Amino acid sequence: MATEQQWKPFSLTHVTYPSHSHIVAPTLALLSLTPPFGVCALVTATIVYKDVLAAYLLVGSVSSTAVTSIIKKLVRESRPPRYDDVKEEVDYGMPSNHSCYVWFCAVFIVLYTLRGGGGGLRIGEVDHRTAVEASSTVARVTMSSSQSRSDTCGNGNDNGNGNGYAPASTITTTTTTTQSRSDTCGNGNGNGNGYAPASTITTTTTTTSRIISANTWHNLHASFAVIPSLLIAIGCSYSRIYLGYHTMPQVFVGSIVGCALGCIWYGLLETTDAVRNSLISMDATLRELERGRMQLRLAGLDDCNGRKND
């Protein structure tokens, strides 16, 4: 007589929760599935958007899970007993893989966001600090140009009509600044003293508002990245205790290991030239390949349209 086949759940995505709770327990069960959801998101970003930073985070997060799996086999501490345990199967729980994964990703995202992306490393996007510094430079140039106008446009002509002109010694600046002076130093008083009109003040005010907007947008962007990452990490860690898959020490140790590995992985990105240069080179190669693919696609569409017209 054939032996009855035994079935077992796939533990990575198999989660059970108490049926008496209709909101808290299902929500914590979903948070407990953060690692597989996170892996799917990173794989999608890597393949679809050609995001090498997502690939870097994916490799690090999976590696951190492998490290905790090795530690589990060395420590050999059992999970807390649950109703759905398989008697023949021994599963260790120290440290928690889920806690390690979520805190690895959370720490990496927080450091990357708050420290400006690998010490100024930006792949495929614009560093907000570059934009703010550029706006600040424009503001300083505008204000310096206004001050220069008040200094160099003080002498009027002999007719006393108040038209101030810069002496020959000052006409050594760029065309943009000279044009700005000619636009703003048109009329002076009877002594020939020229003053910048309200348009210069408006330009400076507009530039300042752009700086404020850039800083505000950066703070909002950082908040949307940092706060949800930390909340998800906390929720996933607590869910493993609430659902009975781990004890508090197992979750705590997993979180510590994840934070430590996340700091190390980010440190490699920020301080190691080989890692940074590899990511930049990979990103440039992928973008070049994608550009060539789009050109071939557009050429194919043009051929199809040409045949239709014929």
Side-chain angles (χ1 to χ4, degrees), residues 129-272:
R129 296 182 302 177
T130 303
V132 171
E133 290 172 0
S135 299
S136 301
T137 302
V138 173
R140 289 194 297 270
V141 171
T142 303
M143 296 174 67
S144 299
S145 178
S146 300
Q147 182 64 33
S148 176
R149 283 192 295 272
S150 63
D151 294 340
T152 59
C153 297
N155 297 324
N157 57 14
D158 294 337
N159 296 327
N161 57 9
N163 294 324
Y165 301 96
S169 60
T170 62
I171 308 177
T172 57
T173 56
T174 60
T175 305
T176 303
T177 307
T178 304
Q179 181 65 31
S180 179
R181 280 200 300 272
S182 66
D183 292 340
T184 59
C185 297
N187 296 320
N189 57 17
N191 296 325
N193 296 321
Y195 298 95
S199 59
T200 303
I201 301 175
T202 303
T203 303
T204 305
T205 304
T206 303
T207 306
T208 305
S209 65
R210 289 178 180 176
I211 298 173
I212 296 174
S213 298
N215 286 325
T216 302
W217 172 246
H218 167 66
N219 293 332
L220 288 174
H221 180 271
S223 300
F224 282 124
V226 171
I227 295 176
S229 298
L230 295 176
L231 291 178
I232 291 174
I234 293 172
C236 180
S237 300
Y238 175 72
S239 71
R240 303 303 290 176
I241 301 173
Y242 177 87
L243 299 175
Y245 288 102
H246 290 282
T247 63
M248 185 176 293
Q250 292 172 355
V251 170
F252 179 76
V253 173
S255 302
I256 295 299
V257 173
C259 291
L261 294 177
C263 291
I264 294 173
W265 198 247
Y266 177 81
L268 292 176
L269 175 65
E270 185 173 291
T271 61
T272 307

Side-chain angles (χ1 to χ4, degrees), residues 26 37 90 93 203:
F37 290 159
V90 179
T203 303

Side-chain angles (χ1 to χ4, degrees), residues 7 23 48 120 258 292:
W7 292 78
I23 298 177
V48 176

Side-chain angles (χ1 to χ4, degrees), residues 61-93:
S61 60
V62 173
S63 300
S64 69
T65 304
V67 171
T68 53
S69 298
I70 295 173
I71 297 175
K72 279 184 178 182
K73 293 182 179 180
L74 296 176
V75 177
R76 302 173 67 86
E77 180 178 310
S78 300
R79 297 174 181 267
R82 295 184 85 246
Y83 72 95
D84 56 351
D85 287 340
V86 179
K87 295 181 180 180
E88 294 80 8
E89 181 181 358
V90 179
D91 191 11
Y92 302 115

